[in-house]
Amino acid sequence: MKLLVIGSAGRLGAALMREYQGKYDVAGFNHAQLDLSNFDEIREKLDETDFDVLINVAAFTNVDLCETQPHQAFRINAEAPRALAEICGEKNAKLIHFSTDYVFDGEKRAPYTEEDEANPISVYGESKLAGEKNVLAAQNRHLIVRVSWVFGPDRPSFIDGMIKRAQENETVDAIADKFSTPTYTRDIAKMLPQFFDGDVEGGILHFANAGKCSWQEYAQWALDCCENAGVSLKAKTVGACKLRDMVNWVARRPIYSVLSTAKYAQLTGTPPRTWREAVADYIRRFYFKK
Ligand SMILES: NC(=O)c1ccc[n+]([C@@H]2O[C@H](COP(=O)([O-])OP(=O)(O)OC[C@H]3O[C@@H](n4cnc5c(N)ncnc54)[C@H](OP(=O)(O)O)[C@@H]3O)[C@@H](O)[C@H]2O)c1
């Protein structure tokens, strides 16, 4: 089976490349090799590449910048996925396209299922939702995988920023009134092959590690795991701050965006491991006595 990963140098893309090399015939395009805002280039590069499954993890992911560059956000997050889906249709290939918990408005207080209505409150969320719709309109075999709070070793995310701050400062804090679930790139990479088969039903699928937390709880657990791994920290306890304290944020973010993984568990028979196990695993692997 031939795989092609677009966005191969990103946080998730690099993890997919690492996991699939040696197991599949996998090739990747990073941003410099394929610019999704150039539709002629998309057509040209994909026409000359052979693949059975195209995995798109490239996106305009800077949520605040999307607010001031909506045209570019829609071009990369919505129009390019439409082009990818159409080309995959012509080549009889399956598209697996990644999306986000930010398609929801965050007003719910129970995990969002695939059937819940999306109602984005940011340009990023709107552009990603438009991308989902464009992909599904092109072909019902294609798969949209929505993930939340992605972390992994290939590009720093919230958790790495918190650990760095705790190494450099006596006190740290994190938002205590915003909830979702961290998701480890390694776990995404390991579960995804179950969906490579073109005969497996397409549509929308939620995947995240199990459970729910605030950013404060997430950060506290990361520091606790660092302590256990012998990583020296100046700050051991994460204080609480509020979402409304983030005065520099341009885009609105959903307060609650936990994704239900009930459909994933039902399809695969294996629920994802908890976010605490995943974070502990990550810290053991990448921070041990660092
Ligand atoms: N990170 C999260 O917490 C999170 C949460 C929910 C959903 N997601 C979704 O998960 C997927 C993977 O995200 P990630 O965490 O891996 O993000 P990431 O590290 O920002 O990776 C995105 C990649 O897309 C590339 N890219 C940006 N603009 C491009 C363009 N015009 N043409 C080609 N490539 C372009 C980036 O390259 P450069 O860096 O060189 O620009 C980067 O390598 C995305 O679909 C994202 O929306 C992420």
Side-chain angles (χ1 to χ4, degrees):
M1 185 174 279
K2 284 190 164 67
L3 311 179
L4 179 64
V5 177
I6 298 184
S8 58
R11 185 178 300 117
L12 180 52
L16 299 182
M17 294 300 289
R18 189 170 45 252
E19 178 68 23
Y20 303 148
Q21 262 151 10
K23 293 185 183 150
Y24 297 93
D25 182 351
V26 58
F29 287 129
N30 63 26
H31 193 165
Q33 291 163 322
L34 175 60
D35 179 0
L36 285 187
S37 65
N38 182 337
F39 300 155
D40 291 337
E41 196 185 338
I42 295 177
R43 167 63 67 183
E44 191 188 313
K45 290 265 168 71
L46 294 195
D47 272 352
E48 66 194 26
T49 312
D50 195 19
F51 53 87
D52 304 300
V53 181
L54 177 65
I55 306 172
N56 180 36
V57 283
F60 189 171
T61 54
N62 185 319
V63 178
D64 288 322
L65 216 52
C66 284
E67 293 294 315
T68 49
Q69 298 180 17
H71 181 74
Q72 187 70 346
F74 272 83
R75 199 170 169 85
I76 297 164
N77 293 344
E79 294 309 322
R82 184 209 304 274
L84 299 180
E86 287 173 357
I87 295 169
C88 284
E90 291 163 23
K91 291 172 89 92
N92 201 24
K94 178 172 186 165
L95 174 61
I96 300 182
H97 174 71
F98 275 79
S99 191
T100 170
D101 54 324
Y102 277 29
V103 297
F104 295 114
D105 59 19
E107 294 302 318
K108 219 180 152 186
R109 291 296 173 268
Y112 282 96
T113 71
E114 290 81 354
E115 281 73 42
D116 280 321
E117 202 183 327
N119 181 31
I121 56 173
S122 64
V123 171
Y124 170 70
E126 283 169 9
S127 67
K128 293 291 288 183
L129 179 62
E132 292 184 359
K133 289 183 177 165
N134 289 342
V135 166
L136 294 178
Q139 249 255 29
N140 58 13
R141 218 162 59 109
H142 295 332
L143 182 69
I144 306 291
V145 184
R146 289 183 185 143
V147 290
S148 57
W149 292 7
V150 177
F151 69 93
D154 299 287
R155 193 172 276 204
S157 63
F158 168 78
I159 185 174
D160 309 288
M162 283 307 305
I163 293 169
K164 190 164 186 290
R165 278 170 57 199
Q167 285 173 321
E168 294 170 355
N169 302 282
E170 303 290 338
T171 59
V172 291
D173 57 17
I175 298 171
D177 57 353
K178 183 180 181 332
F179 302 91
S180 190
T181 315
T183 308
Y184 190 5
T185 53
R186 181 180 161 86
D187 292 16
I188 300 173
K190 286 199 177 292
M191 72 80 189
L192 202 60
Q194 299 170 99
F195 300 93
F196 286 170
D197 187 340
D199 293 333
V200 173
E201 198 190 305
I204 297 175
L205 182 72
H206 290 177
F207 184 81
N209 284 115
K212 133 193 167 194
C213 60
S214 68
W215 276 2
Q216 183 195 18
E217 290 168 303
Y218 180 18
Q220 184 62 60
W221 179 244
L223 299 196
D224 292 348
C225 292
C226 281
E227 278 261 74
N228 285 339
V231 182
S232 65
L233 301 171
K234 284 188 183 159
K236 309 253 158 93
T237 306
V238 181
C241 64
K242 287 188 181 302
L243 189 53
R244 65 159 188 264
D245 297 333
M246 307 310 288
V247 288
N248 293 330
W249 279 356
V250 182
R252 287 178 66 208
R253 272 96 164 150
I255 287 174
Y256 179 99
S257 58
V258 177
L259 297 175
S260 163
T261 52
K263 178 178 174 184
Y264 171 80
Q266 186 245 320
L267 284 175
T268 63
T270 319
R273 63 178 166 169
T274 66
W275 69 267
R276 285 185 191 273
E277 286 173 272
V279 168
D281 185 15
Y282 172 59
I283 287 173
R284 262 194 313 271
R285 281 171 195 277
F286 295 99
Y287 281 90
F288 186 61
K289 289 195 179 141
K290 209 172 177 180

